[in-house]
Amino acid sequence: MSEIHESLIPSIGVVTDVRVDTPDVKTFRVNTLDGGIPFDHKPGQCAMISIPGVGEAMFSITSSPTNTDFKEFSIKKCGCLTAWLHQIEFGQQILIRGPYGHPFPVDTEFVGKDLLFIAGGIGLAPLRSVINYCRHYRDRYGKIDIVYGSRSKDDLVDYPEIINEWYREEGINVHLTIDCPQEGWDGHVGFVPDYVKELNFDTNKIGIICGPPIMIKFTLSVLQELGFEKTQVYTTMELRMKCGIGKCGRCNIGDKYVCKDGPVFRCDQLDELPNEY
């Protein structure tokens, strides 16, 4: 059976852990019935999760491929299916299939380069897989900077991991910001694009952006102001994906299918697409 056909066949997944990240984001740990992982993946790829009788949707795989114990998905409550998922408890079963999509070029273009990860809100979730992959193979990459912002401290996804692990690693600099002042927060206050401009990064690095479309737009503009070329910057576009294999046409944009040609795109490739997103 071909790989693409195998990815169409759902398997039963068991939710083996549920972590509350923010008031509207939970992270679900998923294993197979025998305690393994449903499939192998690469950083930036997605999987389809479904609840029979409710629906299915595509979600980023937020655990690193180097984690062979389980798959994790950080899911924001924002609709019917996600509301059902947020009611799931330890031991319950779901259907899962994948992986789908074109991953980040972690084993080619990123190797030997300094990396600048920029995330807003739930946009950290797709980048967490890439960041932890690069942490695992630390000697393959140069210096790593992570800029992450959210509405408030309470909305920062994976905050304990950031503070207890990322902050403490040599060669990794984490820059956190929240939109508005908050009691108990003594860190930076301001929007992500403004903070990136303030940090004034040099341009000898690869940029990786994920977040709300408006944040990506303004952050890319700031990076260009600083002297970055679009060929140096990657982003991930996960809107509209439905079937995962380019058959339903829902994610078609110009001559591309986000599910097959993306969700990872280099930013100069976006200039070739019609302005539909």
Side-chain angles (χ1 to χ4, degrees):
M1 185 179 293
S2 70
E3 182 179 345
I4 193 167
H5 288 161
E6 286 180 0
S7 69
L8 281 173
I9 300 174
S11 60
I12 298 174
V14 180
V15 176
T16 52
D17 186 67
V18 180
R19 183 177 73 245
V20 178
D21 279 308
T22 77
D24 59 0
V25 175
K26 288 185 177 181
T27 295
F28 301 87
R29 186 171 294 179
V30 180
N31 289 92
T32 55
L33 289 171
D34 61 2
I37 57 173
F39 45 74
D40 294 322
H41 79 284
K42 296 179 181 180
Q45 288 188 301
C46 305
M48 192 78 77
I49 292 178
S50 63
I51 298 178
V54 178
E56 65 177 1
M58 195 81 77
F59 297 99
S60 296
I61 304 165
T62 58
S63 53
S64 169
T66 56
N67 184 333
T68 57
D69 295 327
F70 50 78
K71 298 294 182 196
E72 280 191 330
F73 302 86
S74 295
I75 298 175
K76 184 181 179 73
K77 184 179 179 181
C78 58
C80 179
L81 176 63
T82 56
W84 274 79
L85 286 170
H86 270 239
Q87 297 178 49
I88 280 182
E89 298 176 350
F90 173 85
Q92 289 188 249
Q93 296 180 359
I94 58 173
L95 293 180
I96 182 171
R97 56 185 173 96
Y100 298 110
H102 183 72
F104 285 98
V106 289
D107 298 321
T108 53
E109 299 301 319
F110 288 8
V111 173
K113 305 288 178 53
D114 289 349
L115 303 176
L116 169 60
F117 294 94
I118 306 171
I122 190 62
L124 184 71
L127 297 192
R128 178 174 174 249
S129 176
V130 197
I131 292 169
N132 283 338
Y133 184 90
C134 295
R135 289 176 59 223
H136 183 88
Y137 296 111
R138 191 67 194 86
D139 59 343
R140 297 183 185 177
Y141 309 97
K143 176 181 164 186
I144 295 175
D145 282 281
I146 303 166
V147 182
Y148 176 40
S150 195
R151 289 173 298 182
S152 70
K153 178 184 175 182
D154 301 328
D155 293 301
L156 291 167
V157 178
D158 297 310
Y159 187 69
E161 181 177 5
I162 293 169
I163 296 300
N164 297 325
E165 297 183 33
W166 298 1
Y167 254 115
R168 299 182 179 184
E169 291 196 17
E170 186 177 349
I172 298 179
N173 294 315
V174 181
H175 315 271
L176 298 180
T177 185
I178 61 175
D179 291 352
C180 301
Q182 179 180 350
E183 186 177 350
W185 176 260
D186 58 3
H188 188 273
V189 175
F191 296 113
V192 169
D194 297 330
Y195 195 24
V196 171
K197 187 173 184 177
E198 182 182 326
L199 289 166
N200 193 29
F201 292 103
D202 58 58
T203 59
N204 62 341
K205 44 179 105 260
I206 298 290
I208 306 102
I209 312 173
C210 188
I214 191 68
M215 171 244 154
I216 294 174
K217 176 182 177 180
F218 283 111
T219 301
L220 180 57
S221 178
V222 165
L223 290 176
Q224 289 181 279
E225 261 186 71
L226 295 176
F228 283 79
E229 300 292 335
K230 287 189 176 181
T231 53
Q232 293 174 253
V233 183
Y234 292 78
T235 189
T236 176
M237 302 167 62
E238 298 175 8
L239 302 176
R240 300 189 191 172
M241 287 192 289
K242 182 70 173 176
C243 70
I245 58 169
K247 296 299 183 183
C248 73
R250 188 177 184 216
C251 70
N252 171 244
I253 174 170
D255 64 348
K256 304 292 184 185
Y257 289 89
V258 174
C259 64
K260 288 174 59 181
D261 302 302
V264 173
F265 289 94
R266 204 174 60 200
C267 286
D268 63 305
Q269 296 173 321
L270 301 182
D271 291 339
E272 303 170 6
L273 303 178
N275 187 25
E276 295 180 11
Y277 267 64

